[in-house]
Amino acid sequence: PDFSGALASSDTYEVLYHPFDFDGNGPYSVRRAANLALASLMWERRLVPYTLVPDGDMLAALFGDWPEVGSGAITKVAGTFPLGGRWLRMTGVVANDYIKSATIAVEPLMDYYLEVTGRIASTGAAADTGTLVLYDETNGASITLDTSKVTINQFEPQMLMHASVQMPSGCKQVTIRLEADNAGDIIEWTDVIFRKNESREFTLADRPQKVGRIGRVFATGLDAWSTRGLHLTDDGYQVDAEMEQLDAGLWQLRLRQSVAGMSVWYEEYVTPAPYSAEVVGTGATDTSTIPIEALAAVTAYELLRPLQTDKRWRDWFQKAATDAAYWRSEYQRHLRRVRTKQQVIVFPRV
């Protein structure tokens, strides 16, 4: 016999104890147990700006809502340390190449709030620059903005905030254009926010990953990127609001106070997407942002729960139940907002 045989590096295989299987629909399916674990864990929280711009919050993985005009290159860059969040990257090939938003309906002569965050990409040069343009599609002309708040020329993010921009007479549709000023300039953009100043009722965008719950609403007029975070977590900047679920993943916010000239953000909680069936020949490729320790522990509990009275699996089930309870508690604890304040602690003399 030949004992020198070996698996090729490309070979995949799965070994499970009876009666478990990976992709079945019965009580002993690992995929089914993992999906039950995902459904039982707490929501994933994210802070999202309210905007009329499709994909202005940059939550979509691709850039289909942002057609590029000219010969430049456009990509969606995943969030990385230390900035986080997705960015829309524009590489200019000729001067004034730009990305533009989908067309947005507006009311003539009414005031709107406009805010965009941008920066020179880490792969760009110090001399690179970008420009924000609000374009009147009806009249075919740029809308006048404060010229001190339209240019990107730093590697650290810059917030271009326009608290009140009046729409021109006859203007009924606009687009937002994000330019790379010169050939070779590489500029990244995120959080493209545009809305009517007098509005107090907002319908939130539906997404493939359904929103399960809406949390607090915040409003701030601070335009400093490095310090705004406090305004978006502190209860002092919370807006009194009512929330109504219109459909699965579709919500409406009704604010009880004016937020004119302010940036409006809200907390949304989404459930992790379920794992799909394994594709033969490619293996299981689905991922989740849930910590693997928590997901594995709760998956083991769900998988062994039908066998908790079986003497062969009873002890394993007890351990899985203990681990699952611990990780559920840990996961919930990490999702909570933690605030610490300076205080004086007096220790008695011994």
Side-chain angles (χ1 to χ4, degrees), residues 139-213:
N139 297 314
S142 297
I143 297 173
T144 301
L145 298 175
D146 182 343
T147 55
S148 68
K149 300 178 181 179
V150 297
T151 302
I152 296 298
N153 55 13
Q154 297 180 19
F155 287 99
E156 180 170 295
Q158 297 170 264
M159 298 179 64
L160 309 178
M161 178 188 287
H162 300 266
S164 180
V165 181
Q166 187 181 61
M167 297 300 102
S169 176
C171 177
K172 298 181 180 179
Q173 290 182 316
V174 299
T175 55
I176 295 169
R177 301 184 177 190
L178 311 173
E179 290 187 357
D181 292 340
N182 304 291
D185 287 359
I186 308 175
I187 307 298
E188 293 178 348
W189 307 87
T190 192
D191 295 337
V192 182
I193 304 171
F194 183 76
R195 62 173 178 79
K196 185 184 285 188
N197 258 331
E198 70 171 16
S199 295
R200 296 196 190 184
E201 187 171 278
F202 309 128
T203 299
L204 307 183
D206 198 8
R207 314 181 198 283
Q209 190 177 14
K210 299 299 183 184
V211 176
R213 184 165 65 88

Side-chain angles (χ1 to χ4, degrees), residues 5-65:
L7 289 171
S9 60
S10 60
D11 288 347
T12 60
Y13 62 94
E14 301 163 343
V15 176
L16 290 174
Y17 284 105
H18 179 78
F20 305 115
D21 63 78
F22 271 94
D23 243 2
N25 293 317
Y28 307 119
S29 164
V30 172
R31 179 170 63 87
R32 174 182 175 275
N35 284 335
L36 287 172
L38 286 173
S40 69
L41 290 168
M42 286 284 290
W43 309 106
E44 297 175 356
R45 173 191 176 273
R46 56 192 181 194
L47 195 61
V48 183
Y50 177 75
T51 177
L52 293 173
V53 181
D55 194 35
D57 52 28
M58 299 295 157
L59 289 178
L62 302 177
F63 52 84
D65 289 310

